[in-house]
Amino acid sequence: MSNSDEQQAPTSARVIYRAALARDAADQAEVFYHAVMQGAATHYTLDERRAWAQALPREGSAWAVRQALYTTLIATCDGRCVGFLEIDLDAGRIETLYVWPSLAGRGIGTTLLVHAERMLLEQGKGKVEIEASSMLYERLMRRGWENLGEQWVERSGESLKRYRLSKALNAVET
């Protein structure tokens, strides 16, 4: 994806969820950058978003290294990563969750979370935690997450508000 690419999923496009591959890393970098710079525009100032976006490199190689650190699930559309989630299975934590801005609100992030929750249940975990942005906070609270408190994190001299959230995991028989 180049900076000028505007990813749109036609209503008939099929989103596929799978484990991340090294070849997805460059797309992950772009999804992260655009989710922060465009997607979070109504919740954070431009300076805050620039500081946040600079916290992680906009290079595929850096995201490929992160794939070795965290279990990474991605959503693809037309073969391109349009959303991803990194999870620390041992700690029971969602490390990151980002979706291409024009596709936000279509259930991609929710589906990634459902897959992550299932994986945690399979690991014997009874709860999941996340440090959520102000943008993600509202959506997670509607899905039954519990607010454990507001936090402030410093990025390149900017203080960014986020929330520590937790959710009990329950196995559902199908």
Side-chain angles (χ1 to χ4, degrees):
M1 269 177 261
S2 69
N3 295 348
S4 63
D5 284 346
E6 189 64 26
Q7 286 202 356
Q8 296 282 338
T11 53
S12 62
R14 184 169 161 209
V15 177
I16 297 170
Y17 299 88
R18 62 172 171 78
L21 303 170
R23 69 174 187 244
D24 299 315
D27 282 352
Q28 283 180 254
E30 290 303 307
V31 170
F32 166 73
Y33 179 82
H34 289 281
V36 171
M37 293 304 294
Q38 295 168 2
T42 59
H43 292 84
Y44 295 90
T45 68
L46 180 58
D47 287 340
E48 289 170 335
R49 287 179 283 129
R50 283 181 178 149
W52 182 1
Q54 292 171 3
L56 294 170
R58 195 172 174 185
E59 299 170 4
S61 60
W63 290 90
V65 168
R66 291 180 65 87
Q67 289 177 3
L69 297 173
Y70 303 111
T71 299
T72 306
L73 306 175
I74 68 163
T76 64
C77 183
D78 295 330
R80 302 298 299 264
C81 173
V82 296
F84 69 93
L85 175 148
E86 295 173 322
I87 183 169
D88 182 332
L89 290 172
D90 292 332
R93 288 179 37 85
I94 305 295
E95 295 295 326
T96 61
L97 174 58
Y98 294 99
V99 174
W100 191 264
S102 63
L103 301 177
R106 296 187 186 192
I108 293 171
T110 297
T111 302
L112 287 167
L113 281 168
V114 167
H115 287 298
E117 290 172 13
R118 179 187 45 79
M119 292 175 77
L120 286 166
L121 279 166
E122 289 171 358
Q123 294 290 315
K125 303 294 183 193
K127 71 174 185 168
V128 60
E129 294 185 354
I130 192 171
E131 292 168 347
S133 67
S134 295
M135 183 176 73
L136 185 56
Y137 169 78
E138 297 163 5
R139 292 177 182 185
L140 293 179
M141 291 301 290
R142 287 193 299 264
R143 292 194 34 81
W145 289 69
E146 178 185 357
N147 184 356
L148 302 179
E150 186 177 292
Q151 297 178 327
W152 293 87
V153 61
E154 189 273 330
R155 298 285 187 260
S156 300
E158 294 289 329
S159 293
L160 305 175
K161 185 179 185 178
R162 68 182 184 189
Y163 300 87
R164 195 168 140 251
L165 304 177
S166 177
K167 180 181 176 187
L169 298 176
N170 298 306
V172 177
E173 288 189 35
T174 55

